[in-house]
Amino acid sequence: MYGSTRLPPSIEYQKAVSNVNLGFMWILNAKDVNIKAHLTTGLSSYSNLISIRQSKSGSINYQFKSEKDIYLQLRLFATYMPAGISFGMESFYRRHSIPSFNFTLSKAFDIRGFTKNFTPVSGLSMSQR
C-alpha cells in the first residue's frame, strides 16, 4: 500500500537552556608539531521532542521533555608544521545518549605564495586575454 508522510509545520518552542562546565587545556608547541588537547565536563539543561500526536480534528500536539544531564567533551588537534597538515578529533558524550564524533583533516596554505600567480587584467597583453 502506498502512502505519504507530511512534514510537520515549523515548531516554535522557547525554553531557557543553561550550561555550566569546567575545562582543561594542554598545549604542546614543538618545532615540528603542535598538539592541543581540550577536556570539558559540565552540566547542561536541554529539551527533547519526545512525541508528535495528531488528533482526529487535525490539531497537532508536540510533547517536550526537559532534562538536565552531565556531559563530557574531548577535543584533540595535531598539526605537523613542515607540511601544514592538521588532524582533529572531537567527541561529545552525554549519559543515556549515543556519543557523537567528528574527525577533520586539513591542509594549511601560505597565501603569500598564491599572490605571485595572479596579475591584474590590465597587465595582460591581447594575446593572453
Side-chain angles (χ1 to χ4, degrees), residues 42-55:
L43 175 68
S44 63
S45 67
Y46 56 97
S47 186
N48 281 329
L49 176 64
I50 57 173
S51 71
I52 301 173
R53 293 193 179 115
Q54 185 170 6
S55 68

Side-chain angles (χ1 to χ4, degrees), residues 79-99:
T79 303
Y80 181 61
M81 304 303 272
I85 296 175
S86 295
F87 174 76
M89 186 276 303
E90 294 180 273
S91 176
F92 184 85
Y93 175 72
R94 182 180 281 136
R95 288 185 318 159
H96 312 298
S97 66
I98 299 171

Side-chain angles (χ1 to χ4, degrees), residues 100-120:
S100 60
F101 297 94
N102 181 32
F103 297 96
T104 59
L105 182 62
S106 58
K107 170 73 173 111
F109 296 96
D110 186 353
I111 195 161
R112 293 173 291 194
F114 287 127
T115 57
K116 64 183 175 187
N117 297 322
F118 299 101
T119 59

Side-chain angles (χ1 to χ4, degrees), residues 1 3 15 20 32-35 42 48 63 70 75 90 105 109 126:
M1 185 170 168
K15 179 189 181 298
V20 177
D32 289 346
V33 69
N34 179 281
I35 300 173
N48 281 329
Q63 186 175 4
I70 61 170
R75 296 176 180 170
E90 294 180 273
L105 182 62
F109 296 96
M126 290 300 285

Side-chain angles (χ1 to χ4, degrees), residues 7 19 25 30 52 61 68 85 110:
L7 294 174
N19 184 33
M25 180 175 246
I52 301 173
N61 182 22
K68 288 185 180 180
I85 296 175
D110 186 353

